[in-house]
Amino acid sequence: VQNIQNMLGGFLDIVERTRNAFNFTDPYKSSFVLMTLVFVWLFFAFVSTRMICLTVGLAQYLGMLAARLSELVPKRAKVTDADTSEPSPKSDKPEKEGSPVATWLRNAILSLPTEEHLRRTYFWESRCVGEREYASVASAARASRLEHLWKAQWYDSLSLRIATTGGNEKKNKKNSGDNPKWQENVFAVFHGRRLLWWNSTADFDDGELPVGTLVLAGHAGLAGLSPLEMRELAQEGEATISRIVAIFGRGKDGQQKLTCLLPTVESKDSLQSVVLAASLKRD
């Protein structure tokens, strides 16, 4: 039963590949087949069938005549080194391969997709397209929500590093170490005089509460990078330093300094302008 199923499966695969060779599933191979058929049609249109049959018959006759004549000519036996050497039990010569044209045609036919191959390919392509469409719709809904409902001055994804500079500095160092780590893929929104951030864009879309807030009140605004931060970021290059913004203000652990790594220089300039305008604004 298994052999019969394999034979039927192979036969159906050949049928599907042959059909797909003509319906431009593979444009290159279908174009080649179409051009070959056009060439054959033109050949039979200008050359009569009688001449083709005559040429084939003459070629077969001349081939047989040449074979008979070669048999009548005596051949001298040539003594070679292979005749004097001892015969080896196994020949080291590789097996004779088939014609390159036949191999190319066989590979061309086997490379054509079947219906199962097309189903799998279109499934993953449709899934990727659906994910891109969903991301596009979600991005448009997020932008509309932030602009019309939140009235946000700025929003973007970034990498964030928090350093506490107030009275809880010893507690912060004890919990997070001397060098705070970067929090990647953070989604931040600047609303009013507050900078709020979530762990990811999905958390914001799901309506989760922000994980952190920085209020620009009192002694707050833009800050410069410390020599230690400059030395650490120097290894990343000037392109990374040009996208860095440092902001200080009041957080849940006292006075805090946020070091933000923006995706683009334009986003960094926009955030700087918003923070500067909010820090200069008086109640």
Side-chain angles (χ1 to χ4, degrees):
V1 177
Q2 186 65 34
N3 293 334
I4 296 176
Q5 290 179 351
N6 294 337
M7 292 175 60
L8 290 177
F11 176 74
L12 292 177
D13 288 344
I14 294 175
V15 173
E16 291 175 355
R17 287 191 174 99
T18 304
R19 184 182 63 182
N20 292 332
F22 294 93
N23 60 7
F24 286 88
T25 300
D26 189 333
Y28 171 75
K29 293 184 176 64
S30 297
S31 300
F32 177 78
V33 171
L34 179 62
M35 294 300 296
T36 303
L37 293 177
V38 170
F39 175 78
V40 172
W41 175 74
L42 292 175
F43 178 79
F44 282 103
F46 290 98
V47 180
S48 63
T49 309
R50 182 181 303 176
M51 294 298 298
I52 296 174
C53 296
L54 180 62
T55 303
V56 172
L58 289 176
Q60 184 178 5
Y61 171 76
L62 292 176
M64 295 178 62
L65 180 62
R68 291 296 180 88
L69 291 177
S70 62
E71 292 178 357
L72 297 177
V73 177
K75 298 182 179 179
R76 291 185 177 182
K78 295 182 179 180
V79 180
T80 60
D81 296 338
D83 299 333
T84 58
S85 61
E86 297 181 358
S88 57
K90 294 183 179 180
S91 178
D92 297 335
K93 295 182 179 180
E95 297 181 358
K96 187 177 180 180
E97 298 181 355
S99 173
V101 178
T103 303
W104 182 85
L105 290 175
R106 180 175 179 274
N107 293 335
I109 294 174
L110 293 178
S111 63
L112 289 169
T114 62
E115 298 299 324
E116 180 63 20
H117 296 156
L118 295 176
R119 185 190 67 81
R120 295 179 181 179
T121 302
Y122 291 151
F123 169 77
W124 289 110
E125 287 187 357
S126 61
R127 185 170 180 177
C128 293
V129 171
E131 291 178 354
R132 289 195 296 267
E133 292 293 334
Y134 175 78
S136 177
V137 172
S139 178
R142 186 186 315 118
S144 177
R145 176 184 172 192
L146 288 167
E147 293 175 1
H148 298 90
L149 184 61
W150 281 66
K151 304 295 183 180
Q153 294 98 320
W154 177 91
Y155 56 89
D156 204 347
S157 298
L158 49 84
S159 298
L160 189 66
R161 187 163 66 178
I162 306 172
T164 300
T165 59
N168 296 330
E169 182 177 2
K170 294 182 179 180
K171 180 180 178 180
N172 181 70
K173 287 185 177 181
K174 182 178 179 181
N175 296 333
S176 59
D178 295 336
N179 294 325
K181 296 182 179 180
W182 286 99
Q183 302 177 20
E184 298 182 354
N185 300 324
V186 175
F187 184 74
V189 176
F190 197 94
H191 178 256
R193 301 182 66 175
R194 298 179 303 164
L195 180 64
L196 306 95
W197 62 90
W198 290 258
N199 289 327
S200 64
T201 307
D203 289 348
F204 175 80
D205 293 339
D206 294 339
E208 300 290 341
L209 295 176
V211 296
T213 304
L214 186 72
V215 181
L216 299 182
H219 186 62
L222 296 174
L225 297 176
S226 64
L228 180 60
E229 291 176 330
M230 290 294 296
R231 185 174 61 183
E232 293 177 356
L233 295 173
Q235 302 176 358
E236 303 293 335
E238 293 294 334
T240 301
I241 298 178
S242 63
R243 295 184 285 114
I244 291 289
V245 176
I247 308 171
F248 65 94
R250 188 170 59 195
K252 63 179 182 178
D253 293 330
Q255 201 73 8
Q256 290 182 336
K257 175 184 176 182
L258 303 182
T259 305
C260 306
L261 176 59
L262 282 303
T264 60
V265 178
E266 291 77 10
S267 181
K268 171 241 183 181
D269 295 337
S270 178
L271 178 58
Q272 278 185 332
S273 302
V274 171
V275 172
L276 184 61
S279 60
L280 296 177
K281 183 179 179 181
R282 297 181 180 180
D283 296 334

